[in-house]
Amino acid sequence: MCSPKCATTLLIIINAIFILLGIGIIVPGILLHVDNEAINDKIIPLFKELTLGSSNFGDLAKNLPIALIALGSLVIVISVIGLVGVCCCKIRCFLMVYAIIVMILLIGKIVVLALWYFMNDKFETTIKGEMLKNLQEKYTNDVLEANDLSSAWNHLQLAFECCAINAVINATNDYDSTPWQSGSPATDIPISCCPGVTSSNYTIGTATNPLCPSPKTVNPSGQYSKGCYDAVNDFIKGYSLWFYIGGPILFLIEIIGIVCSFYLFCKTDKEDD
């Protein structure tokens, strides 16, 4: 059976890990807040058009850095409470508060993961459908200067190196039914779909492949091979990879922390009696 000394050591180690974890959450939040090439003010108007319930992804993306900083700070505060409780066992209320907070966070994570598991397919289908609908209804021009959704789409394709929503593999693609195509442009896809094109050299002829963008009379060639939905989804998955790796380990650490806290709380209670 684990002794009070063993439980105390485990709690100190666990809270030291939590403090490092809190710092690890704060740093990306600060970096995203200071400089973010992918999700910037030129693309945010587009994400604000994508809604899920009462929320839109523009506000979620904009507030993500602040949320990460707040979450990291909360983790550090909770860890300090745990350290105070374990290092000063006479302050038994700290141990109980720490155990209850960690338990609530653990239950919250389980609920979120369960909802994500059961709603993931519906979530992806809804967002992809909204992106496609927005492109086909509101993409009107192949420029960057205009302060509208078309410009946001072009900046999105440049930033994420993607083209349309579904990957463009032939002349029939997502742009066919857009207002831009009804205006009879010279090309089948926008310049922003072409590798080598940037916001500073945004003109025909700057693409890596001289055949991109292709004329409307031939099949597109040389464009980005990935659709924008998959590109954005891969970007999100890249940042969430650590959840899949560290999640089970974090769950185990939290459970050990809760058990040790209650054990020390009860042990201190008996010693006081």
Side-chain angles (χ1 to χ4, degrees):
M1 183 177 179
C2 183
S3 65
K5 185 176 180 180
C6 175
T8 299
T9 303
L10 279 174
L11 269 180
I12 291 174
I13 294 173
I14 287 171
N15 284 289
I17 293 174
F18 280 160
I19 289 176
L20 294 176
L21 176 63
I23 296 173
I25 295 173
I26 290 174
V27 171
I30 294 174
L31 293 177
L32 284 171
H33 183 70
V34 173
D35 182 25
N36 188 354
E37 293 294 330
I39 308 298
N40 54 55
D41 290 336
K42 295 176 181 178
I43 300 175
I44 287 295
L46 170 59
F47 284 110
K48 284 190 175 183
E49 294 283 311
L50 307 176
T51 60
L52 187 66
S54 59
S55 302
N56 70 76
F57 282 85
D59 290 339
L60 292 177
K62 198 75 174 177
N63 294 326
L64 179 60
I66 298 174
L68 289 175
I69 294 171
L71 177 60
S73 301
L74 176 62
V75 170
I76 292 175
V77 170
I78 293 172
S79 301
V80 170
I81 292 175
L83 285 174
V84 171
V86 72
C87 293
C88 307
C89 284
K90 290 184 179 180
I91 311 179
R92 297 172 57 251
C93 63
F94 276 72
L95 284 171
M96 181 56 68
V97 169
Y98 171 79
I100 292 174
I101 292 176
V102 175
M103 188 182 299
I104 292 173
L105 291 176
L106 182 63
I107 294 172
K109 289 175 186 176
I110 294 174
V111 172
V112 170
L113 287 175
L115 289 174
W116 176 256
Y117 177 79
F118 289 109
M119 297 181 64
N120 188 40
D121 290 342
K122 182 179 179 180
F123 171 82
E124 292 191 359
T125 302
T126 300
I127 297 305
K128 187 173 184 178
E130 283 204 22
M131 289 181 72
L132 180 59
K133 180 181 178 182
N134 187 280
L135 178 75
Q136 292 180 333
E137 291 182 354
K138 299 183 179 182
Y139 189 83
T140 59
N141 58 72
D142 183 14
V143 298
L144 290 181
E145 295 77 16
N147 186 23
D148 59 10
L149 290 176
S150 300
S151 178
W153 272 110
N154 291 322
H155 280 289
L156 178 75
Q157 292 181 148
L158 292 176
F160 285 87
E161 298 185 348
C162 59
C163 186
I165 306 304
N166 301 288
V168 176
I169 56 176
N170 51 49
T172 302
N173 57 70
D174 295 339
Y175 284 101
D176 290 345
S177 57
T178 61
W180 173 63
Q181 277 297 318
S182 64
S184 300
T187 60
D188 190 50
I189 57 175
I191 307 169
S192 55
C193 283
C194 303
V197 177
T198 66
S199 57
S200 59
N201 68 0
Y202 197 77
T203 57
I204 292 178
T206 57
T208 304
N209 188 330
L211 298 179
C212 187
S214 57
K216 296 181 69 174
T217 55
V218 300
N219 284 339
S221 62
Q223 69 276 0
Y224 289 118
S225 60
K226 185 177 291 186
C228 286
Y229 172 78
D230 288 336
V232 173
N233 196 31
D234 289 346
F235 174 80
I236 295 173
K237 286 181 178 178
Y239 275 87
S240 60
L241 180 61
W242 77 274
F243 284 105
Y244 298 102
I245 298 174
I249 298 175
L250 186 59
F251 276 126
L252 178 61
I253 292 174
E254 288 176 330
I255 291 173
I256 294 173
I258 293 170
V259 172
C260 289
S261 297
F262 276 118
Y263 173 72
L264 286 176
F265 179 87
C266 295
K267 193 72 175 178
T268 306
D269 186 29
K270 289 180 180 178
E271 291 176 355
D272 291 343
D273 293 340

